[in-house]
Amino acid sequence: MSETPAKPPARAAKSKELPEHLKAYRHVWVFIELEHGRVHSVSWELLGEARKLADTLKVDVAGVVLGPAGEGTDQAVAEAFHYGADQVYLVEDPLLTNYRTDPFTKALTDLVNTHKPEILMLGASTLGRDLAGALATTLATGLTADCTELAIDGTSRALAATRPTFGGSLLCTIMTLAARPQMATVRPRVMSMPEPDRSRAGPVIRERLDMVEEDIVTKVLDFIPDADTNQAQLAFADIVVAGGLGLQRPENVQLVKDLAEVLGAEYGCSRPLIQKGWMTADRQIGQTGKTIRPRLYIAAGISGAIQHRVGSEGADRILAINTDPNAPIFDFAHHGIVGDALEILPALTEAFRARLAVDRLAG
Amino acid sequence: MSQGLTMVVCIKQVPDSAQIRVHPVTNTIMRQGVPTIINPYDLFALEQALALRDQLGGTVTVLTMGPQMAETSLRKAMGHGADRAILLTDRFFAGSDTLATSFALSAAIGKINAETPVDVVFTGKQTIDGDTAQVGPGIARRMGLNQLTYVSAIPAIDKAAGEITAHRRAEGGVQVLKTKLPCLVTMLEGTNELRRGSLPDVLRAERAEITTWNAKDAGIEDVTKCGLKGSPTKVSKVFAPKPRSERAAMIEGADATPAAIAAAAVETLVAADPALPGVITRPSALA
Ligand SMILES: Cc1cc2nc3c(=O)[nH]c(=O)nc-3n(C[C@H](O)[C@H](O)[C@H](O)COP(=O)(O)OP(=O)(O)OC[C@H]3O[C@@H](n4cnc5c(N)ncnc54)[C@H](O)[C@@H]3O)c2cc1C
Ligand SMILES: Nc1ncnc2c1ncn2[C@@H]1O[C@H](COP(=O)(O)O)[C@@H](O)[C@H]1O
């Protein structure tokens, strides 16, 4: 996907019969990203998606857990079943303590070559993207990065992976027809979180990591945890208020913060505000920023470019405020206000404040 | 033995996608008149390489795979101070996905390496048109280079000992990694600011000779590993995003004052989601 396609090649449309030796590849796998004893929630989101794909294909879902024994692996295995896995592949080894490309690539390559999944999905986190690129090259197979939609193509049974292309102005659907496994990465929060079923369990298939420390050139000297955990809060907030270039001046960012404050919400912005330095980079919403899935998203002075849209349209409800009645954001917002954000934002802050005061008196 | 570091920076010429428009009727990309730029993420890689050259000496070669006109970007990179530029261009490369791109770039880097052993290969974090962040790891894997992705800083590099220490952005923190040269580094954005070119560099860049290699020059014998043929992923469809089935319901106040519109908006939102006030929990909300 490095060269952007101008036109889909005609031959891709013709579904070729899968080469015989690739027919042995079956089942849908999800790499469960376990680090520092905790599973990245994108793994559960992917299991939810894998379940749907596997049901369409009438095959099983497997989770792959890699990590040192005793540091969250048991918990990760149990939860993988709760979130939809039918079986779990587990490699426990102290070499898998801190993420490093080589041991993780080795463990996963060996698992794939032994058990042959037809689809393998990873989160498009820094870890997942590091691993997926190395793995796809080692396996010489197709990898579609940062997908926003996954489906099964009816005629070829191939994974039809849709992602933004051309800087996000368009979407394209990509298939890997003559190589297996078909690999895809998906960013956190793009897919919805499935409901866990705590009664589910299943078989665990253990494999060993065929490697010793001396084989690994790269050493982890230190891990410096982020002081600020805000990063995660935006992605998981119930309510998000964001501003775009329609705010016009840096001091108007305060209007967004004020409304967020009253709503107990997180605040964010479109990309140009980061570039102008009006907000810090961890507040960017969109394709190259955070994907959010709040209950309510209020977007003020944001045009709704596709890169912004793919990061925000998972919200249950979107209210957009824009002076331009034809702004693209009204194509995917549920409610719209055609008006000046600089006037509407403070008015909304007041109206919510009043409403909440009434609720409190009544309650 | 060569002094200093031999570095290769992979840059890609991309359309300035902020200016791309989609034809409203045919749904195709209107490329005409869209200016091209060096992939913005690659500038951080270029500056990091130049900074290391300042510190330890050595050479910086910029490498791109693309059409003939990608020469413009190579010249620009030389204007910022790169020593040498290589354009990898061949009709066999057309339609490459990440696997085929990393194959071709690896071949070219392999050829450079045969002249002078390469210490560090740099790429950007990702491109703005392909946007996969996979070409860097692909090159590393093919060439057996130690892979350092999302690097924000290189606090130490020791050519004699063949060692490099790097800060890598990870989930929830920064990993401090030490590995051996040669290695591949993908640079994180926002980590530095590309220097302006000096006047002599800018003048030199204008006249400089750009080395142009085709597949054969780069030592590629099996062209079926290049371009569309060498790409396991196939694009089956390109389309514009669909609007939601209904457009947003517009909220208008009793009169057009902001206060009336805001009051109507609050009513609408609460009617649509009666539990909403309960979600608003922070004590300060009631202050
Ligand atoms: C590779 C790539 C990745 C990108 N990733 C992201 C990303 O992750 N997130 C992102 O947001 N963008 C991203 N972008 C940028 C994106 O294409 C848009 O340029 C950007 O989202 C536009 O921001 P905006 O809506 O704030 O500004 P504009 O598009 O300029 O829109 C401003 C809007 O404000 C309205 N307005 C003006 N004045 C007022 C007022 N007083 N009151 C109310 N409304 C007003 C205007 O009508 C207009 O609709 C990316 C671009 C590229 C090329
Ligand atoms: N055609 C190309 N020529 C040179 N370098 C490239 C090319 N494509 C990708 N790269 C490099 O690989 C990085 C990641 O690209 P991508 O995987 O497309 O997001 C870019 O930042 C570039 O440094």
Side-chain angles (χ1 to χ4, degrees), chain A residues 2 99 126 129-130 133 163 166 171 173 175 218-219 221-222 224 226 262 287 295 309 331 334 336, chain B residues 12 20 131 134 149 169 171-172 174-176 178-179 234 236-237 239 242 244 247 249 251 273 285:
Chain A
S2 189
Y99 174 76
T126 53
R129 284 173 142 206
D130 185 287
R163 70 188 302 276
F166 237 107
L171 296 166
T173 302
M175 296 199 266
T218 303
K219 309 291 172 196
L221 301 185
D222 200 3
I224 308 159
D226 292 331
V262 164
Q287 190 195 346
R295 191 177 184 117
R309 176 175 174 170
D331 289 343
H334 304 78
Chain B
K12 186 178 183 190
I20 289 175
D131 193 21
Q134 302 300 348
T149 54
R169 161 90 344 232
E171 300 294 319
V174 173
Q175 275 185 327
V176 183
K178 183 174 187 170
T179 196
K234 307 287 179 202
S236 68
K237 162 167 104 169
F239 55 102
K242 271 203 278 327
R244 255 176 13 98
R247 272 173 61 88
I251 299 169
D273 181 3

Side-chain angles (χ1 to χ4, degrees), chain B residues 29-45:
Chain B
I29 302 150
M30 305 200 292
R31 284 170 187 258
Q32 290 97 327
V34 177
T36 53
I37 52 174
I38 300 180
N39 175 39
Y41 291 102
D42 299 346
L43 303 178
F44 303 105

Side-chain angles (χ1 to χ4, degrees), chain A residues 2-3, chain B residues 10-12 39 41-42 63-65 98 101 105 122-127 130-136:
Chain A
S2 189
E3 290 289 307
Chain B
C10 299
I11 65 172
K12 186 178 183 190
N39 175 39
Y41 291 102
D42 299 346
L63 167 67
T64 194
M65 179 189 90
T98 45
T101 302
L105 290 172
F122 283 99
T123 72
K125 179 179 101 175
Q126 63 193 57
T127 50
D131 193 21
T132 74
Q134 302 300 348
V135 167

Side-chain angles (χ1 to χ4, degrees), chain A residues 19-40:
Chain A
E20 204 55 39
H21 68 284
L22 295 178
K23 288 190 178 152
Y25 286 75
R26 272 171 76 82
H27 308 303
V28 181
W29 284 18
V30 172
F31 169 71
I32 309 294
E33 182 173 331
L34 173 69
E35 223 187 356
H36 308 295
R38 295 186 51 189
V39 173
H40 196 304

Side-chain angles (χ1 to χ4, degrees), chain A residues 215-231:
Chain A
D215 297 335
I216 309 169
V217 176
T218 303
K219 309 291 172 196
V220 181
L221 301 185
D222 200 3
F223 181 79
I224 308 159
D226 292 331
D228 171 17
T229 47
N230 271 340
Q231 294 213 352

Side-chain angles (χ1 to χ4, degrees), chain B residues 157-236:
Chain B
I157 185 162
D158 182 340
K159 169 136 178 165
E163 285 178 346
I164 178 169
T165 306
H167 288 187
R168 170 176 184 271
R169 161 90 344 232
E171 300 294 319
V174 173
Q175 275 185 327
V176 183
L177 297 176
K178 183 174 187 170
T179 196
K180 294 247 187 277
L181 301 175
C183 70
L184 178 130
V185 171
T186 83
M187 275 312 280
L188 197 65
E189 72 277 14
T191 44
N192 57 41
E193 200 167 322
L194 182 61
R195 64 196 57 194
R196 282 163 153 270
S198 66
L199 190 58
D201 277 340
V202 173
L203 293 176
R204 181 179 58 95
E206 268 172 32
R207 290 188 302 262
E209 192 168 327
I210 307 279
T211 308
T212 303
W213 287 346
N214 62 20
K216 201 160 151 246
D217 297 331
I220 297 173
E221 276 161 20
D222 186 0
V223 289
T224 63
K225 288 196 172 153
C226 303
L228 206 56
K229 274 219 176 77
S231 300
T233 61
K234 307 287 179 202
V235 176
S236 68

Side-chain angles (χ1 to χ4, degrees), chain A residues 1-6 8-9 11-12 33 35 40 98-99 101-102 105 125-127 129-130 132-134 136-138 140-146 162-163 165-167 169-177 179 217-226 231 238-239 261-266 271 287-288 295-296 306 309 317 319 325 330-338 343-344 347-348 351-353 355-357 359-360, chain B residues 12 15 17 20 22 27-29 31 41 65-66 93 95-99 101-102 125-135 137-139 141-142 146-150 165 167-180 228-229 232-244 246-251 258-259 261-263 265-270 272-273 275-277 279-282 284-287:
Chain A
M1 264 318 299
S2 189
E3 290 289 307
T4 306
R11 83 176 83 159
E33 182 173 331
E35 223 187 356
H40 196 304
N98 275 306
Y99 174 76
T101 313
D102 284 352
T105 305
S125 58
T126 53
L127 190 164
R129 284 173 142 206
D130 185 287
T137 311
T138 310
T141 192
L143 162 63
T144 308
D146 286 24
T162 299
R163 70 188 302 276
T165 184
F166 237 107
S169 24
L170 291 171
L171 296 166
C172 67
T173 302
I174 292 171
M175 296 199 266
T176 297
L177 296 172
V217 176
T218 303
K219 309 291 172 196
V220 181
L221 301 185
D222 200 3
F223 181 79
I224 308 159
D226 292 331
Q231 294 213 352
D238 280 323
I239 306 176
E261 170 91 37
V262 164
L263 294 173
E266 281 296 327
R271 186 163 84 162
Q287 190 195 346
T288 46
R295 191 177 184 117
L296 172 63
I306 180 67
R309 176 175 174 170
R317 195 155 292 281
L319 167 66
F330 292 129
D331 289 343
F332 64 96
H334 304 78
H335 307 285
I337 296 174
V338 177
E343 293 177 352
I344 302 290
L348 270 177
F352 270 111
R353 207 193 294 277
R355 167 75 200 215
L356 292 166
D359 280 0
R360 193 172 61 152
Chain B
K12 186 178 183 190
S17 49
I20 289 175
V22 178
N27 236 350
T28 50
I29 302 150
R31 284 170 187 258
Y41 291 102
M65 179 189 90
F93 297 143
S96 297
D97 72 355
T98 45
L99 197 71
T101 302
S102 61
K125 179 179 101 175
Q126 63 193 57
T127 50
I128 62 168
D129 59 346
D131 193 21
T132 74
Q134 302 300 348
V135 167
I139 294 171
R141 216 64 208 166
R142 281 189 186 282
N146 297 306
Q147 167 176 331
L148 299 166
T149 54
Y150 304 101
T165 306
H167 288 187
R168 170 176 184 271
R169 161 90 344 232
E171 300 294 319
V174 173
Q175 275 185 327
V176 183
L177 297 176
K178 183 174 187 170
T179 196
K180 294 247 187 277
L228 206 56
K229 274 219 176 77
T233 61
K234 307 287 179 202
V235 176
S236 68
K237 162 167 104 169
V238 179
F239 55 102
K242 271 203 278 327
R244 255 176 13 98
E246 328 114 66
R247 272 173 61 88
M250 294 300 171
I251 299 169
I261 296 171
V266 171
E267 284 321 307
T268 307
L269 292 174
V270 174
D273 181 3
L276 188 66
V279 175
I280 305 170
T281 47
R282 257 199 223 163
S284 65
L286 304 177

